Amino acid sequence: MDKKFSLTDGMEYHKAGNFELADEIYLSLQNLDPYNVKLLCLRGLVAQSINQPDKAIELFLKANVLHPADFNIQLQLGITYSQMGEINLSNLFYEKAMALAPNAIEPLVNYGNNLCKLKLFDKAFGAYQKALALEPTSSRLNYNIGTLFLNKMDPDGAIKWLETAVTLDPIYTSAWNSLGAALTETDDLHGALVAYQKASSLDPEFIEPLFNQHAIYIDLGMADQVIDVLQKAIAIDENNNTLKFFLGMAHQYYGENAKGAALIDSISKNAEIYPEISSWNYLQNEFFSNPKLVGTNTKTIQIAIDAAKLDGLNLEFGVFNGKSIRRIALLINEDIHGFDSFEGLPESWNDEPKGSYSAEGFLPEVPKNVVLHKGWFNETLPGFIREFKAPIRFLHIDCDLYSSTKTILDLLAPKIIAGTVIVFDEFIGYKSWDKDEFKAFEEAVQRYGWKYELLTFSFVTKQVALIIK
């Protein structure tokens, strides 16, 4: 570098976004002063900005050796390791930053965000609460806590935090969208629609609330609006094949078969959309029973329970934190039995490692008409079957895995009779759909000679409801 620049020059270029020139200036100054912590940190920030996390880590670690008690160095190491996906290492430095500056908001919030990624929701909630005590009117913190409750499948718990977030910041688009999601999960479809529409009015280019609106319009029976919002979403992202599939499928379902078929054919060679298209091909072969297209899981459950006319047992497999079984319990005037190890998945499933969806062995709070059975299905079901002789009225299977679903269907087969209604939670439209619950059920159909008709299907929730004939 021929021209001599000052540190101030470098910082001005840095602030203006000219990262390459800023780094050249910082490096030229560092060559004169190799142990200058400020220059090391500034170069680390440049590396962060141009997506060179390895270089940023090297520079911040050098600075850390020189100044191990510097709060900002610990914070930046936490941020950079998080960018790299090294969550545990990131947390180590956030913990150091919090020890150095207990009243600093950023490391607390980032630490909570990392804990959410690890699904350590209770610890994350504790970090957010500490931050909220320091900044009680923070819309961001209320949004983060609401999102935490959504991620732990507790929409009731999410609503108050998200409502507070949009009260504190009425133009908080993501908070309006998440509030819509929470209200959808609690079956307040009209309230959800208002929230999604607010998000879309604040940011017309935000696709997610448009897509979410289409699910609500499906359940409200508003076909024209379903088509309209999907078309608006595609206009924003013309290369989004998933949106094109949903629009094509909607056209076909609502009677515009040629238009829908042409759209789906135009994307049929894209491997990314194979799960949806192959599922749709299966479903169309089942349309003799005229199944209902559904947008939300609450609607699926409602239709299924209404169709369950047998006198018999109500069962759920895969309780986790009790979200769905609490909803079901409100809709029936009978006992419902819930089965779960409460220790998570017994084996890995797609991108979910073994142990995902663990309740750490703790049973959730449930209504009085819910009876929980803790343990692996193959251990708890035989004794239950010996004690309860009635056939199955309603069966909700939410265990994801082929092996677990096969165990359930094989053990319960004598109790699954004409009139039994089954809801499968992961049945269509995801990458291993034909290898999991679907495969176990189709094998059972062949093994036990069952006939069935579809009642509902949903590509939004991946669910189907069906009745044994």
Side-chain angles (χ1 to χ4, degrees):
M1 181 177 290
D2 296 330
K3 182 179 176 181
K4 289 189 176 180
F5 289 93
S6 68
L7 179 60
T8 302
D9 294 326
M11 294 175 71
E12 286 297 320
Y13 284 117
H14 192 161
K15 185 178 179 181
N18 191 336
F19 300 119
E20 183 177 354
L21 183 53
D23 193 51
E24 284 186 29
I25 294 170
Y26 295 151
L27 180 58
S28 68
L29 296 171
Q30 189 189 346
N31 288 335
L32 301 173
D33 188 0
Y35 301 106
N36 187 308
V37 171
K38 185 172 184 177
L39 288 168
L40 287 166
C41 290
L42 287 168
R43 293 191 65 216
L45 291 172
V46 168
Q48 270 186 356
S49 299
I50 60 177
N51 196 28
Q52 293 182 351
D54 290 331
K55 182 178 178 182
I57 289 294
E58 178 185 353
L59 291 161
F60 287 132
L61 285 175
K62 287 180 179 178
N64 192 43
V65 170
L66 297 167
H67 274 210
D70 187 298
F71 162 79
N72 284 306
I73 294 173
Q74 310 306 317
L75 176 62
Q76 295 307 323
L77 282 164
I79 290 170
T80 312
Y81 274 120
S82 182
Q83 290 174 340
M84 297 172 69
E86 297 283 355
I87 303 302
N88 290 321
L89 269 174
S90 173
N91 283 347
L92 177 66
F93 287 101
Y94 284 143
E95 288 166 359
K96 291 180 179 180
M98 289 185 289
L100 290 167
N103 292 330
I105 294 285
E106 189 170 2
L108 275 168
V109 174
N110 292 353
Y111 185 62
N113 294 344
N114 273 354
L115 292 170
C116 284
K117 292 175 185 176
L118 297 172
K119 299 185 178 180
L120 298 173
F121 297 119
D122 291 340
K123 286 186 69 176
F125 185 53
Y128 289 147
Q129 282 187 307
K130 287 179 182 178
L132 198 61
L134 297 169
E135 196 176 321
T137 60
S138 168
S139 58
R140 175 184 63 153
L141 282 167
N142 280 277
Y143 169 73
N144 284 4
I145 295 172
T147 302
L148 177 154
F149 278 98
L150 276 178
N151 287 336
K152 68 182 290 192
M153 301 184 188
D154 183 359
D156 295 285
I159 289 172
K160 70 173 184 177
W161 297 101
L162 295 168
E163 287 179 335
T164 301
V166 298
T167 299
L168 291 167
D169 183 1
I171 60 171
Y172 200 156
T173 308
S174 294
W176 280 110
N177 184 60
S178 292
L179 177 59
L183 293 169
T184 299
E185 289 292 319
T186 57
D187 204 26
D188 183 357
L189 298 189
H190 291 283
L193 186 58
V194 169
Y196 290 141
Q197 289 173 335
K198 180 67 174 179
S200 290
S201 69
L202 291 168
D203 183 359
E205 299 296 305
F206 189 10
I207 288 176
E208 190 173 338
L210 287 169
F211 182 81
N212 291 338
Q213 285 174 61
H214 113 273
I216 302 297
Y217 285 132
I218 287 173
D219 286 358
L220 295 178
M222 302 170 73
D224 289 344
Q225 287 82 353
V226 172
I227 300 297
D228 179 61
V229 292
L230 287 173
Q231 287 175 332
K232 287 179 179 176
I234 291 170
I236 297 167
D237 184 0
E238 295 180 353
N239 296 316
N240 191 313
N241 289 324
T242 299
L243 290 174
K244 289 180 181 178
F245 167 78
F246 273 88
L247 179 58
M249 183 269 296
H251 276 309
Q252 288 191 284
Y253 178 80
Y254 292 123
E256 296 182 299
N257 189 65
K259 185 182 288 187
L263 184 53
I264 289 177
D265 185 63
S266 72
I267 59 173
S268 61
K269 291 183 171 56
N270 288 280
E272 63 181 293
I273 213 73
Y274 171 79
E276 286 84 358
I277 291 178
S278 57
S279 298
W280 182 230
N281 290 338
Y282 153 74
L283 288 167
Q284 288 178 296
N285 290 330
E286 301 293 327
F287 267 24
F288 64 87
S289 62
N290 195 30
K292 185 176 182 64
L293 174 64
V294 171
T296 66
N297 54 26
T298 52
K299 188 70 170 179
T300 298
I301 296 294
Q302 179 68 70
I303 292 172
I305 289 174
D306 289 346
K309 307 298 185 184
L310 276 179
D311 289 328
L313 299 166
N314 303 292
L315 311 177
E316 177 176 87
F317 291 85
V319 176
F320 185 38
N321 69 349
K323 182 189 80 168
S324 60
I325 207 167
R326 285 192 291 269
R327 297 272 171 234
I328 295 167
L330 292 174
L331 295 172
I332 61 175
N333 296 315
E334 307 171 7
D335 286 347
I336 177 166
H337 297 266
F339 296 79
D340 203 307
S341 69
F342 299 100
E343 295 176 16
L345 294 173
E347 61 191 70
S348 61
W349 176 67
N350 289 327
D351 298 325
E352 302 285 358
K354 178 180 178 180
S356 294
Y357 307 111
S358 174
E360 306 298 330
F362 294 104
L363 277 61
E365 292 185 12
V366 290
K368 291 181 180 179
N369 61 328
V370 174
V371 182
L372 297 177
H373 303 264
K374 181 180 179 182
W376 303 110
F377 301 152
N378 64 318
E379 297 171 352
T380 55
L381 258 179
F384 175 85
I385 292 167
R386 286 192 296 271
E387 181 178 354
F388 293 89
K389 306 300 183 184
I392 295 171
R393 172 195 179 213
F394 173 79
L395 174 58
H396 182 211
I397 295 179
D398 184 10
C399 57
D400 308 334
L401 299 168
Y402 165 81
S403 58
S404 298
T405 307
K406 184 178 187 304
T407 296
I408 294 163
L409 295 176
D410 285 345
L411 289 172
L412 292 178
K415 294 181 174 294
I416 296 173
I417 64 172
T420 296
V421 172
I422 307 176
V423 173
F424 289 97
D425 247 56
E426 282 77 33
F427 202 78
I428 56 170
Y430 65 97
K431 66 181 181 182
S432 63
W433 75 276
D434 55 355
K435 300 177 179 66
D436 300 324
E437 291 179 359
F438 172 86
K439 179 182 178 183
F441 177 68
E442 288 297 304
E443 288 178 353
V445 165
Q446 296 301 315
R447 188 178 304 116
Y448 303 113
W450 295 335
K451 304 294 183 184
Y452 69 93
E453 290 183 4
L454 288 181
L455 299 170
T456 70
F457 68 97
S458 175
F459 278 96
V460 178
T461 69
K462 316 306 181 190
Q463 294 171 301
V464 301
L466 56 87
I467 186 167
I468 302 296
K469 303 303 287 185

